[in-house]
Amino acid sequence: RSRSIKVDIFTFLRKLCPGVQPMHLRMFDGWLQQFDQMQHHQKFVEAGEQSVSALSQMIALPVIPDMELAKLERQFREIDVEGQGLITLQQIEQALNLDCEVLKKYDVSEDGFIDNHEFVAMMCPDEFRPPEMSGFDQEVLGSLLMSCVQRHRKDLDEQKALYAGGVERKNQMPASMRPEVPEETWAAWNAVFDRLDNDGDNVMSPSELRSSMLLSQRVCDQLIASAARVEGHDGIRRRDFLLALLDFHKWRRPGFVMNGS
């Protein structure tokens, strides 16, 4: 067989089954597309699970000690010769002999400047985590990420089961029978969202999430991609934020309609 000859899958099927009908080929084509989508979903879920693992490893690190933090803040002031509280990427490149292109990912405001907090996050030793990456707000975002990744994993497993010969249905407690979320927890979740939603439009944008510096840039990007439930919607809506947290903790909110309830 000549290596230059490429056989189309449908040409092959017609040769293999001369009586095959066009509708059968269209059906088979649909299955192939579904399988390709499932493979793409598999990679997406694995990336999400890697982000959960990376976040867990980050949380396990101790916060940078005050002495180390003071050294970095002093280094920042030495570069910030004009005392403006901001330094350019070019200044850092010259002072520390670092690649300006590499530094850009730490410029969360994307304005060409690095402030003290961004500098500490950039220069924080690997054995520590920056002081911003801690506290209740980060815990909530961690729960949000895990909830979204678990939802995508569940969807993927159900897709795989279809190709394996059927879906095993597991009995789950209806959302309406779950215990109610404590009022103080509900208020705390909304307060977290309010702190992150800087412009008050009820959507947590990628830039707002990154500027909080609660998560690494990689985890931020994965969280945005995993939590967005509306196709083409670049951000996390308040409702989706609350739905994911309710689902993760197996709680319900009276008057707040859950998917599948």
Side-chain angles (χ1 to χ4, degrees):
R1 182 168 65 93
S2 173
R3 292 182 180 273
S4 63
I5 298 176
K6 295 183 179 179
V7 181
D8 178 81
I9 182 66
F10 298 111
T11 301
F12 173 76
L13 289 174
R14 290 189 184 96
K15 294 290 185 180
L16 185 65
C17 306
V20 67
Q21 299 297 312
M23 67 175 184
H24 298 145
L25 294 176
R26 288 194 298 269
M27 184 182 302
F28 187 73
D29 184 44
W31 291 340
L32 290 177
Q33 292 182 31
Q34 290 174 11
F35 187 79
D36 287 343
Q37 292 171 0
M38 188 179 69
Q39 295 297 100
H40 177 75
H41 196 187
Q42 171 82 32
K43 294 179 180 178
F44 181 79
V45 171
E46 289 174 352
E49 291 172 341
Q50 289 171 5
S51 292
V52 169
S53 177
L55 179 58
S56 298
Q57 293 173 15
M58 173 62 71
I59 293 174
L61 294 174
V63 175
I64 184 171
D66 291 342
M67 185 176 296
E68 292 290 332
L69 179 60
K71 289 180 181 178
L72 294 180
E73 291 177 338
R74 183 169 59 253
Q75 189 175 32
F76 177 85
R77 290 193 298 271
E78 290 172 353
I79 300 174
D80 181 22
V81 292
E82 297 179 359
Q84 296 181 338
L86 295 171
I87 53 181
T88 66
L89 299 177
Q90 289 73 22
Q91 285 176 306
I92 301 174
E93 183 180 33
Q94 294 173 4
L96 303 179
N97 194 28
L98 298 175
D99 187 349
C100 190
E101 289 301 315
V102 175
L103 299 175
K104 284 183 178 180
K105 67 178 181 179
Y106 294 99
D107 178 19
V108 295
S109 55
E110 299 180 350
D111 58 1
F113 293 92
I114 295 289
D115 64 21
N116 183 66
H117 298 293
E118 292 169 333
F119 184 80
V120 170
M122 177 179 67
M123 301 300 294
C124 184
D126 293 340
E127 63 269 25
F128 302 119
R129 56 179 161 139
E132 288 81 9
M133 291 187 178
S134 59
F136 180 72
D137 289 13
Q138 190 199 53
E139 292 176 10
V140 170
L141 291 179
S143 297
L144 178 65
L145 176 63
M146 286 188 281
S147 176
C148 296
V149 171
Q150 288 172 3
R151 173 171 58 87
H152 283 289
R153 167 55 70 182
K154 178 176 176 290
D155 292 344
L156 177 63
D157 289 344
E158 289 179 353
Q159 290 176 340
K160 286 184 174 181
L162 290 174
Y163 285 91
V167 178
E168 180 183 353
R169 298 292 180 181
K170 296 181 179 179
N171 294 327
Q172 296 183 350
M173 178 187 295
S176 59
M177 295 182 63
R178 294 176 178 177
E180 292 185 13
V181 57
E183 191 64 34
E184 60 272 19
T185 300
W186 184 255
W189 288 349
N190 277 280
V192 171
F193 193 93
D194 289 337
R195 286 192 287 272
L196 296 172
D197 180 21
N198 296 328
D199 58 9
D201 65 350
N202 279 322
V203 177
M204 188 194 308
S205 69
S207 61
E208 288 172 334
L209 181 59
R210 295 189 191 103
S211 65
S212 73
M213 303 189 69
L214 292 165
L215 306 171
S216 69
Q217 302 306 300
R218 170 191 165 192
V219 175
C220 280
D221 292 342
Q222 187 63 46
L223 177 55
I224 289 289
S226 299
R229 290 173 178 257
V230 179
E231 190 69 26
H233 198 92
D234 190 19
I236 304 172
R237 300 180 304 169
R238 182 187 296 269
R239 174 178 173 78
D240 296 335
F241 174 86
L242 296 171
L243 276 172
L245 292 173
L246 285 171
D247 192 51
F248 180 75
H249 293 281
K250 306 304 178 190
W251 284 332
R252 67 181 176 88
R253 172 72 176 176
F256 197 80
V257 180
M258 298 283 293
N259 292 340
S261 60

PDB file of all heavy atoms in Angstrom, residues 227-257:
ATOM      1  N   ALA A 227     -15.915  27.353  36.567  1.00  0.00           N
ATOM      2  CA  ALA A 227     -17.111  27.834  37.250  1.00  0.00           C
ATOM      3  C   ALA A 227     -18.107  28.513  36.322  1.00  0.00           C
ATOM      4  O   ALA A 227     -19.292  28.613  36.664  1.00  0.00           O
ATOM      5  CB  ALA A 227     -16.719  28.801  38.373  1.00  0.00           C
ATOM      6  N   ALA A 228     -17.650  28.995  35.173  1.00  0.00           N
ATOM      7  CA  ALA A 228     -18.555  29.678  34.250  1.00  0.00           C
ATOM      8  C   ALA A 228     -19.553  28.687  33.671  1.00  0.00           C
ATOM      9  O   ALA A 228     -19.180  27.753  32.973  1.00  0.00           O
ATOM     10  CB  ALA A 228     -17.766  30.362  33.139  1.00  0.00           C
ATOM     11  N   ARG A 229     -20.835  28.874  33.969  1.00  0.00           N
ATOM     12  CA  ARG A 229     -21.879  27.962  33.496  1.00  0.00           C
ATOM     13  C   ARG A 229     -22.550  28.463  32.217  1.00  0.00           C
ATOM     14  O   ARG A 229     -23.318  27.756  31.603  1.00  0.00           O
ATOM     15  CB  ARG A 229     -22.950  27.776  34.576  1.00  0.00           C
ATOM     16  CG  ARG A 229     -22.467  26.973  35.794  1.00  0.00           C
ATOM     17  CD  ARG A 229     -23.500  26.973  36.880  1.00  0.00           C
ATOM     18  NE  ARG A 229     -23.071  26.175  38.027  1.00  0.00           N
ATOM     19  CZ  ARG A 229     -23.513  24.952  38.292  1.00  0.00           C
ATOM     20  NH1 ARG A 229     -24.387  24.383  37.501  1.00  0.00           N
ATOM     21  NH2 ARG A 229     -23.091  24.299  39.353  1.00  0.00           N
ATOM     22  N   VAL A 230     -22.320  29.721  31.869  1.00  0.00           N
ATOM     23  CA  VAL A 230     -22.942  30.295  30.684  1.00  0.00           C
ATOM     24  C   VAL A 230     -21.913  30.345  29.563  1.00  0.00           C
ATOM     25  O   VAL A 230     -20.834  30.910  29.729  1.00  0.00           O
ATOM     26  CB  VAL A 230     -23.476  31.719  30.970  1.00  0.00           C
ATOM     27  CG1 VAL A 230     -24.108  32.306  29.722  1.00  0.00           C
ATOM     28  CG2 VAL A 230     -24.474  31.677  32.123  1.00  0.00           C
ATOM     29  N   GLU A 231     -22.229  29.726  28.436  1.00  0.00           N
ATOM     30  CA  GLU A 231     -21.303  29.671  27.301  1.00  0.00           C
ATOM     31  C   GLU A 231     -20.943  31.077  26.848  1.00  0.00           C
ATOM     32  O   GLU A 231     -21.804  31.923  26.595  1.00  0.00           O
ATOM     33  CB  GLU A 231     -21.959  28.916  26.140  1.00  0.00           C
ATOM     34  CG  GLU A 231     -21.014  28.594  24.998  1.00  0.00           C
ATOM     35  CD  GLU A 231     -19.977  27.544  25.377  1.00  0.00           C
ATOM     36  OE1 GLU A 231     -20.232  26.724  26.275  1.00  0.00           O
ATOM     37  OE2 GLU A 231     -18.900  27.568  24.756  1.00  0.00           O
ATOM     38  N   GLY A 232     -19.639  31.332  26.771  1.00  0.00           N
ATOM     39  CA  GLY A 232     -19.185  32.633  26.309  1.00  0.00           C
ATOM     40  C   GLY A 232     -19.206  33.708  27.371  1.00  0.00           C
ATOM     41  O   GLY A 232     -18.904  34.862  27.093  1.00  0.00           O
ATOM     42  N   HIS A 233     -19.578  33.344  28.615  1.00  0.00           N
ATOM     43  CA  HIS A 233     -19.640  34.333  29.698  1.00  0.00           C
ATOM     44  C   HIS A 233     -18.304  34.332  30.422  1.00  0.00           C
ATOM     45  O   HIS A 233     -17.924  33.346  31.042  1.00  0.00           O
ATOM     46  CB  HIS A 233     -20.780  33.980  30.659  1.00  0.00           C
ATOM     47  CG  HIS A 233     -21.192  35.119  31.536  1.00  0.00           C
ATOM     48  ND1 HIS A 233     -22.195  35.995  31.189  1.00  0.00           N
ATOM     49  CD2 HIS A 233     -20.727  35.542  32.733  1.00  0.00           C
ATOM     50  CE1 HIS A 233     -22.345  36.895  32.139  1.00  0.00           C
ATOM     51  NE2 HIS A 233     -21.460  36.639  33.099  1.00  0.00           N
ATOM     52  N   ASP A 234     -17.600  35.453  30.355  1.00  0.00           N
ATOM     53  CA  ASP A 234     -16.257  35.536  30.904  1.00  0.00           C
ATOM     54  C   ASP A 234     -16.315  36.050  32.340  1.00  0.00           C
ATOM     55  O   ASP A 234     -16.162  37.226  32.614  1.00  0.00           O
ATOM     56  CB  ASP A 234     -15.404  36.478  30.045  1.00  0.00           C
ATOM     57  CG  ASP A 234     -13.932  36.412  30.426  1.00  0.00           C
ATOM     58  OD1 ASP A 234     -13.534  35.420  31.055  1.00  0.00           O
ATOM     59  OD2 ASP A 234     -13.188  37.348  30.078  1.00  0.00           O
ATOM     60  N   GLY A 235     -16.559  35.140  33.258  1.00  0.00           N
ATOM     61  CA  GLY A 235     -16.650  35.521  34.660  1.00  0.00           C
ATOM     62  C   GLY A 235     -17.547  34.561  35.421  1.00  0.00           C
ATOM     63  O   GLY A 235     -18.168  33.670  34.849  1.00  0.00           O
ATOM     64  N   ILE A 236     -17.612  34.764  36.743  1.00  0.00           N
ATOM     65  CA  ILE A 236     -18.431  33.907  37.604  1.00  0.00           C
ATOM     66  C   ILE A 236     -19.579  34.742  38.155  1.00  0.00           C
ATOM     67  O   ILE A 236     -19.360  35.716  38.882  1.00  0.00           O
ATOM     68  CB  ILE A 236     -17.597  33.336  38.772  1.00  0.00           C
ATOM     69  CG1 ILE A 236     -16.379  32.584  38.240  1.00  0.00           C
ATOM     70  CG2 ILE A 236     -18.449  32.419  39.639  1.00  0.00           C
ATOM     71  CD1 ILE A 236     -15.407  32.148  39.328  1.00  0.00           C
ATOM     72  N   ARG A 237     -20.799  34.387  37.804  1.00  0.00           N
ATOM     73  CA  ARG A 237     -21.965  35.103  38.299  1.00  0.00           C
ATOM     74  C   ARG A 237     -22.209  34.755  39.770  1.00  0.00           C
ATOM     75  O   ARG A 237     -21.875  33.661  40.225  1.00  0.00           O
ATOM     76  CB  ARG A 237     -23.203  34.749  37.479  1.00  0.00           C
ATOM     77  CG  ARG A 237     -23.091  35.078  35.991  1.00  0.00           C
ATOM     78  CD  ARG A 237     -24.347  34.702  35.251  1.00  0.00           C
ATOM     79  NE  ARG A 237     -24.682  33.289  35.439  1.00  0.00           N
ATOM     80  CZ  ARG A 237     -25.823  32.732  35.077  1.00  0.00           C
ATOM     81  NH1 ARG A 237     -26.763  33.475  34.514  1.00  0.00           N
ATOM     82  NH2 ARG A 237     -26.037  31.448  35.274  1.00  0.00           N
ATOM     83  N   ARG A 238     -22.804  35.674  40.510  1.00  0.00           N
ATOM     84  CA  ARG A 238     -23.078  35.447  41.929  1.00  0.00           C
ATOM     85  C   ARG A 238     -23.903  34.177  42.120  1.00  0.00           C
ATOM     86  O   ARG A 238     -23.619  33.372  43.013  1.00  0.00           O
ATOM     87  CB  ARG A 238     -23.817  36.640  42.541  1.00  0.00           C
ATOM     88  CG  ARG A 238     -24.089  36.471  44.046  1.00  0.00           C
ATOM     89  CD  ARG A 238     -24.963  37.596  44.579  1.00  0.00           C
ATOM     90  NE  ARG A 238     -24.314  38.887  44.471  1.00  0.00           N
ATOM     91  CZ  ARG A 238     -23.555  39.434  45.434  1.00  0.00           C
ATOM     92  NH1 ARG A 238     -23.363  38.776  46.573  1.00  0.00           N
ATOM     93  NH2 ARG A 238     -23.008  40.621  45.261  1.00  0.00           N
ATOM     94  N   ARG A 239     -24.934  33.988  41.299  1.00  0.00           N
ATOM     95  CA  ARG A 239     -25.798  32.825  41.452  1.00  0.00           C
ATOM     96  C   ARG A 239     -25.011  31.524  41.286  1.00  0.00           C
ATOM     97  O   ARG A 239     -25.177  30.579  42.060  1.00  0.00           O
ATOM     98  CB  ARG A 239     -26.950  32.883  40.440  1.00  0.00           C
ATOM     99  CG  ARG A 239     -27.813  31.623  40.431  1.00  0.00           C
ATOM    100  CD  ARG A 239     -28.971  31.724  39.449  1.00  0.00           C
ATOM    101  NE  ARG A 239     -29.645  30.440  39.358  1.00  0.00           N
ATOM    102  CZ  ARG A 239     -30.501  29.979  40.258  1.00  0.00           C
ATOM    103  NH1 ARG A 239     -30.777  30.693  41.331  1.00  0.00           N
ATOM    104  NH2 ARG A 239     -31.074  28.798  40.105  1.00  0.00           N
ATOM    105  N   ASP A 240     -24.149  31.464  40.277  1.00  0.00           N
ATOM    106  CA  ASP A 240     -23.344  30.259  40.052  1.00  0.00           C
ATOM    107  C   ASP A 240     -22.368  30.034  41.199  1.00  0.00           C
ATOM    108  O   ASP A 240     -22.100  28.894  41.590  1.00  0.00           O
ATOM    109  CB  ASP A 240     -22.596  30.366  38.723  1.00  0.00           C
ATOM    110  CG  ASP A 240     -23.538  30.430  37.534  1.00  0.00           C
ATOM    111  OD1 ASP A 240     -24.669  29.935  37.656  1.00  0.00           O
ATOM    112  OD2 ASP A 240     -23.140  30.975  36.484  1.00  0.00           O
ATOM    113  N   PHE A 241     -21.828  31.116  41.717  1.00  0.00           N
ATOM    114  CA  PHE A 241     -20.922  31.072  42.868  1.00  0.00           C
ATOM    115  C   PHE A 241     -21.628  30.428  44.065  1.00  0.00           C
ATOM    116  O   PHE A 241     -21.116  29.489  44.698  1.00  0.00           O
ATOM    117  CB  PHE A 241     -20.492  32.505  43.177  1.00  0.00           C
ATOM    118  CG  PHE A 241     -19.668  32.697  44.423  1.00  0.00           C
ATOM    119  CD1 PHE A 241     -18.297  32.543  44.392  1.00  0.00           C
ATOM    120  CD2 PHE A 241     -20.267  33.071  45.622  1.00  0.00           C
ATOM    121  CE1 PHE A 241     -17.524  32.748  45.535  1.00  0.00           C
ATOM    122  CE2 PHE A 241     -19.514  33.277  46.764  1.00  0.00           C
ATOM    123  CZ  PHE A 241     -18.139  33.115  46.718  1.00  0.00           C
ATOM    124  N   LEU A 242     -22.836  30.877  44.355  1.00  0.00           N
ATOM    125  CA  LEU A 242     -23.593  30.370  45.500  1.00  0.00           C
ATOM    126  C   LEU A 242     -24.091  28.949  45.259  1.00  0.00           C
ATOM    127  O   LEU A 242     -24.082  28.109  46.170  1.00  0.00           O
ATOM    128  CB  LEU A 242     -24.759  31.309  45.805  1.00  0.00           C
ATOM    129  CG  LEU A 242     -24.364  32.722  46.252  1.00  0.00           C
ATOM    130  CD1 LEU A 242     -25.586  33.634  46.302  1.00  0.00           C
ATOM    131  CD2 LEU A 242     -23.658  32.692  47.604  1.00  0.00           C
ATOM    132  N   LEU A 243     -24.524  28.665  44.039  1.00  0.00           N
ATOM    133  CA  LEU A 243     -24.983  27.310  43.706  1.00  0.00           C
ATOM    134  C   LEU A 243     -23.880  26.282  43.930  1.00  0.00           C
ATOM    135  O   LEU A 243     -24.110  25.209  44.490  1.00  0.00           O
ATOM    136  CB  LEU A 243     -25.456  27.249  42.246  1.00  0.00           C
ATOM    137  CG  LEU A 243     -26.882  27.685  41.939  1.00  0.00           C
ATOM    138  CD1 LEU A 243     -27.100  27.742  40.438  1.00  0.00           C
ATOM    139  CD2 LEU A 243     -27.894  26.739  42.585  1.00  0.00           C
ATOM    140  N   ALA A 244     -22.681  26.613  43.483  1.00  0.00           N
ATOM    141  CA  ALA A 244     -21.554  25.682  43.605  1.00  0.00           C
ATOM    142  C   ALA A 244     -21.212  25.431  45.073  1.00  0.00           C
ATOM    143  O   ALA A 244     -20.909  24.298  45.466  1.00  0.00           O
ATOM    144  CB  ALA A 244     -20.341  26.219  42.852  1.00  0.00           C
ATOM    145  N   LEU A 245     -21.254  26.471  45.883  1.00  0.00           N
ATOM    146  CA  LEU A 245     -20.935  26.311  47.306  1.00  0.00           C
ATOM    147  C   LEU A 245     -22.019  25.511  48.025  1.00  0.00           C
ATOM    148  O   LEU A 245     -21.713  24.664  48.882  1.00  0.00           O
ATOM    149  CB  LEU A 245     -20.755  27.684  47.961  1.00  0.00           C
ATOM    150  CG  LEU A 245     -19.522  28.460  47.506  1.00  0.00           C
ATOM    151  CD1 LEU A 245     -19.524  29.868  48.091  1.00  0.00           C
ATOM    152  CD2 LEU A 245     -18.238  27.730  47.895  1.00  0.00           C
ATOM    153  N   LEU A 246     -23.273  25.757  47.694  1.00  0.00           N
ATOM    154  CA  LEU A 246     -24.358  24.962  48.272  1.00  0.00           C
ATOM    155  C   LEU A 246     -24.199  23.497  47.909  1.00  0.00           C
ATOM    156  O   LEU A 246     -24.353  22.610  48.760  1.00  0.00           O
ATOM    157  CB  LEU A 246     -25.722  25.481  47.772  1.00  0.00           C
ATOM    158  CG  LEU A 246     -26.229  26.790  48.372  1.00  0.00           C
ATOM    159  CD1 LEU A 246     -27.468  27.265  47.617  1.00  0.00           C
ATOM    160  CD2 LEU A 246     -26.542  26.638  49.856  1.00  0.00           C
ATOM    161  N   ASP A 247     -23.876  23.234  46.657  1.00  0.00           N
ATOM    162  CA  ASP A 247     -23.734  21.857  46.201  1.00  0.00           C
ATOM    163  C   ASP A 247     -22.537  21.181  46.869  1.00  0.00           C
ATOM    164  O   ASP A 247     -22.598  20.006  47.237  1.00  0.00           O
ATOM    165  CB  ASP A 247     -23.578  21.833  44.673  1.00  0.00           C
ATOM    166  CG  ASP A 247     -23.715  20.431  44.110  1.00  0.00           C
ATOM    167  OD1 ASP A 247     -24.695  19.754  44.437  1.00  0.00           O
ATOM    168  OD2 ASP A 247     -22.830  20.012  43.350  1.00  0.00           O
ATOM    169  N   PHE A 248     -21.441  21.920  47.032  1.00  0.00           N
ATOM    170  CA  PHE A 248     -20.239  21.346  47.640  1.00  0.00           C
ATOM    171  C   PHE A 248     -20.490  20.937  49.087  1.00  0.00           C
ATOM    172  O   PHE A 248     -20.040  19.878  49.544  1.00  0.00           O
ATOM    173  CB  PHE A 248     -19.088  22.347  47.575  1.00  0.00           C
ATOM    174  CG  PHE A 248     -17.808  21.856  48.184  1.00  0.00           C
ATOM    175  CD1 PHE A 248     -17.034  20.915  47.517  1.00  0.00           C
ATOM    176  CD2 PHE A 248     -17.372  22.321  49.417  1.00  0.00           C
ATOM    177  CE1 PHE A 248     -15.843  20.441  48.076  1.00  0.00           C
ATOM    178  CE2 PHE A 248     -16.187  21.862  49.974  1.00  0.00           C
ATOM    179  CZ  PHE A 248     -15.430  20.922  49.305  1.00  0.00           C
ATOM    180  N   HIS A 249     -21.217  21.769  49.817  1.00  0.00           N
ATOM    181  CA  HIS A 249     -21.478  21.497  51.231  1.00  0.00           C
ATOM    182  C   HIS A 249     -22.766  20.708  51.465  1.00  0.00           C
ATOM    183  O   HIS A 249     -23.092  20.401  52.613  1.00  0.00           O
ATOM    184  CB  HIS A 249     -21.534  22.818  52.005  1.00  0.00           C
ATOM    185  CG  HIS A 249     -20.218  23.534  52.083  1.00  0.00           C
ATOM    186  ND1 HIS A 249     -19.223  23.177  52.958  1.00  0.00           N
ATOM    187  CD2 HIS A 249     -19.727  24.591  51.368  1.00  0.00           C
ATOM    188  CE1 HIS A 249     -18.184  23.982  52.798  1.00  0.00           C
ATOM    189  NE2 HIS A 249     -18.457  24.848  51.840  1.00  0.00           N
ATOM    190  N   LYS A 250     -23.493  20.398  50.359  1.00  0.00           N
ATOM    191  CA  LYS A 250     -24.742  19.629  50.449  1.00  0.00           C
ATOM    192  C   LYS A 250     -25.769  20.340  51.321  1.00  0.00           C
ATOM    193  O   LYS A 250     -26.442  19.734  52.154  1.00  0.00           O
ATOM    194  CB  LYS A 250     -24.480  18.209  50.968  1.00  0.00           C
ATOM    195  CG  LYS A 250     -23.430  17.442  50.182  1.00  0.00           C
ATOM    196  CD  LYS A 250     -23.773  17.368  48.714  1.00  0.00           C
ATOM    197  CE  LYS A 250     -22.687  16.640  47.913  1.00  0.00           C
ATOM    198  NZ  LYS A 250     -22.883  16.754  46.448  1.00  0.00           N
ATOM    199  N   TRP A 251     -25.894  21.639  51.101  1.00  0.00           N
ATOM    200  CA  TRP A 251     -26.882  22.441  51.791  1.00  0.00           C
ATOM    201  C   TRP A 251     -27.892  22.973  50.781  1.00  0.00           C
ATOM    202  O   TRP A 251     -27.709  22.848  49.567  1.00  0.00           O
ATOM    203  CB  TRP A 251     -26.229  23.632  52.502  1.00  0.00           C
ATOM    204  CG  TRP A 251     -25.515  23.270  53.771  1.00  0.00           C
ATOM    205  CD1 TRP A 251     -25.793  22.236  54.610  1.00  0.00           C
ATOM    206  CD2 TRP A 251     -24.401  23.966  54.353  1.00  0.00           C
ATOM    207  NE1 TRP A 251     -24.931  22.240  55.685  1.00  0.00           N
ATOM    208  CE2 TRP A 251     -24.061  23.289  55.553  1.00  0.00           C
ATOM    209  CE3 TRP A 251     -23.657  25.094  53.992  1.00  0.00           C
ATOM    210  CZ2 TRP A 251     -23.031  23.698  56.388  1.00  0.00           C
ATOM    211  CZ3 TRP A 251     -22.632  25.500  54.818  1.00  0.00           C
ATOM    212  CH2 TRP A 251     -22.317  24.814  56.006  1.00  0.00           C
ATOM    213  N   ARG A 252     -28.947  23.577  51.274  1.00  0.00           N
ATOM    214  CA  ARG A 252     -29.922  24.250  50.421  1.00  0.00           C
ATOM    215  C   ARG A 252     -30.238  25.605  51.031  1.00  0.00           C
ATOM    216  O   ARG A 252     -29.964  25.853  52.209  1.00  0.00           O
ATOM    217  CB  ARG A 252     -31.202  23.423  50.280  1.00  0.00           C
ATOM    218  CG  ARG A 252     -32.002  23.278  51.565  1.00  0.00           C
ATOM    219  CD  ARG A 252     -33.254  22.430  51.361  1.00  0.00           C
ATOM    220  NE  ARG A 252     -33.955  22.217  52.622  1.00  0.00           N
ATOM    221  CZ  ARG A 252     -34.881  23.031  53.118  1.00  0.00           C
ATOM    222  NH1 ARG A 252     -35.224  24.123  52.440  1.00  0.00           N
ATOM    223  NH2 ARG A 252     -35.472  22.780  54.269  1.00  0.00           N
ATOM    224  N   ARG A 253     -30.806  26.463  50.208  1.00  0.00           N
ATOM    225  CA  ARG A 253     -31.201  27.784  50.653  1.00  0.00           C
ATOM    226  C   ARG A 253     -32.675  27.982  50.329  1.00  0.00           C
ATOM    227  O   ARG A 253     -33.064  27.911  49.164  1.00  0.00           O
ATOM    228  CB  ARG A 253     -30.369  28.856  49.944  1.00  0.00           C
ATOM    229  CG  ARG A 253     -30.831  30.298  50.193  1.00  0.00           C
ATOM    230  CD  ARG A 253     -30.517  30.753  51.584  1.00  0.00           C
ATOM    231  NE  ARG A 253     -30.877  32.167  51.768  1.00  0.00           N
ATOM    232  CZ  ARG A 253     -30.782  32.815  52.919  1.00  0.00           C
ATOM    233  NH1 ARG A 253     -30.332  32.169  53.996  1.00  0.00           N
ATOM    234  NH2 ARG A 253     -31.116  34.090  53.010  1.00  0.00           N
ATOM    235  N   PRO A 254     -33.542  28.186  51.338  1.00  0.00           N
ATOM    236  CA  PRO A 254     -34.972  28.388  51.064  1.00  0.00           C
ATOM    237  C   PRO A 254     -35.196  29.521  50.069  1.00  0.00           C
ATOM    238  O   PRO A 254     -34.634  30.615  50.195  1.00  0.00           O
ATOM    239  CB  PRO A 254     -35.546  28.752  52.446  1.00  0.00           C
ATOM    240  CG  PRO A 254     -34.597  28.127  53.419  1.00  0.00           C
ATOM    241  CD  PRO A 254     -33.242  28.239  52.784  1.00  0.00           C
ATOM    242  N   GLY A 255     -35.979  29.230  49.034  1.00  0.00           N
ATOM    243  CA  GLY A 255     -36.275  30.228  48.008  1.00  0.00           C
ATOM    244  C   GLY A 255     -35.221  30.348  46.942  1.00  0.00           C
ATOM    245  O   GLY A 255     -35.394  31.085  45.978  1.00  0.00           O
ATOM    246  N   PHE A 256     -34.117  29.631  47.097  1.00  0.00           N
ATOM    247  CA  PHE A 256     -33.031  29.654  46.124  1.00  0.00           C
ATOM    248  C   PHE A 256     -33.088  28.344  45.361  1.00  0.00           C
ATOM    249  O   PHE A 256     -32.712  27.307  45.892  1.00  0.00           O
ATOM    250  CB  PHE A 256     -31.680  29.822  46.829  1.00  0.00           C
ATOM    251  CG  PHE A 256     -30.556  30.246  45.934  1.00  0.00           C
ATOM    252  CD1 PHE A 256     -30.402  31.572  45.574  1.00  0.00           C
ATOM    253  CD2 PHE A 256     -29.664  29.318  45.449  1.00  0.00           C
ATOM    254  CE1 PHE A 256     -29.339  31.963  44.753  1.00  0.00           C
ATOM    255  CE2 PHE A 256     -28.611  29.704  44.630  1.00  0.00           C
ATOM    256  CZ  PHE A 256     -28.464  31.031  44.281  1.00  0.00           C
ATOM    257  N   VAL A 257     -33.567  28.366  44.126  1.00  0.00           N
ATOM    258  CA  VAL A 257     -33.826  27.141  43.374  1.00  0.00           C
ATOM    259  C   VAL A 257     -32.516  26.517  42.920  1.00  0.00           C
ATOM    260  O   VAL A 257     -31.696  27.153  42.267  1.00  0.00           O
ATOM    261  CB  VAL A 257     -34.729  27.423  42.151  1.00  0.00           C
ATOM    262  CG1 VAL A 257     -34.978  26.129  41.380  1.00  0.00           C
ATOM    263  CG2 VAL A 257     -36.030  28.042  42.597  1.00  0.00           C
TER     264      VAL A 257
END
